[in-house]
Amino acid sequence: MKELRNTKQREEVLNAVRTLMYHPTAEEVYLDVSRKNPSISKGTVYRNLNLLTQLGEISKISMPGSEPDRFDHITEENHHHAFCRCCKRLFDYELDEELHYEGHVIDKDFTVEKSQLILTGICKDCLEKNKE
């Protein structure tokens, strides 16, 4: 594989994902980057998001249903999320220790290297609004 040079555009995309701490979509990353660099194309942003994901610099979160994919600056293993179906926000979510994988699934011939779980439901704020 040929060596990749670090481009200004790639750095801008990476910084946008890191500063937009709410798990932005590709479109939200593009809007943020294009405010600072109006000449950047949407295709450049999308290509760099995919490349940064492949390089392990960011994580791509495949969302349920027809929701657009999201991106996360946290790349550690076993990083989970909760998705509010009302307000569409995505939250980081910690699992109890009992639910973490220990490198394998019991009674299966499969070794888990990384897991990413998305829980879908209603966040506390939306539940409070619905009670009113």
Side-chain angles (χ1 to χ4, degrees):
M1 184 173 161
K2 80 178 191 185
E3 187 174 325
L4 296 171
R5 49 186 193 100
N6 194 13
T7 66
K8 178 184 176 199
Q9 291 93 347
R10 189 174 315 126
E11 193 64 35
E12 290 172 335
V13 170
L14 180 59
N15 286 336
V17 173
R18 286 179 176 160
T19 57
L20 299 172
M21 304 280 291
Y22 57 86
H23 309 94
T25 64
E27 183 67 22
E28 290 167 333
V29 172
Y30 168 71
L31 291 173
D32 184 74
V33 172
S34 66
R35 276 194 283 278
K36 300 165 193 152
N37 180 356
S39 65
I40 197 165
S41 73
K42 197 177 279 194
T44 298
V45 170
Y46 281 58
R47 276 191 302 280
N48 278 292
L49 284 169
N50 287 326
L51 180 59
L52 288 165
T53 299
Q54 290 173 356
L55 294 172
E57 296 284 328
I58 61 175
S59 294
K60 183 177 184 177
I61 305 162
S62 297
M63 298 298 294
S66 61
E67 292 295 320
D69 292 339
R70 305 282 185 96
F71 295 88
D72 197 343
H73 68 286
I74 299 174
T75 59
E76 65 191 37
E77 292 182 5
N78 306 327
H79 179 68
H80 308 290
H81 298 93
F83 173 67
C84 178
R85 62 180 176 78
C86 293
C87 66
K88 309 296 185 195
R89 287 186 295 168
L90 188 67
F91 304 90
D92 290 325
Y93 193 85
E94 292 291 323
L95 290 177
D96 293 335
E97 284 300 316
E98 293 175 11
L99 297 176
H100 283 190
Y101 295 105
E102 294 179 6
H104 67 281
V105 177
I106 298 171
D107 295 330
K108 302 286 181 187
D109 293 326
F110 187 80
T111 300
V112 176
E113 296 175 335
K114 184 176 181 178
S115 67
Q116 186 181 79
L117 176 68
I118 299 177
L119 303 170
T120 301
I122 302 173
C123 71
K124 179 182 169 184
D125 292 343
C126 289
L127 280 173
E128 292 293 322
K129 288 178 191 174
N130 288 338
K131 286 182 183 177
E132 296 173 357

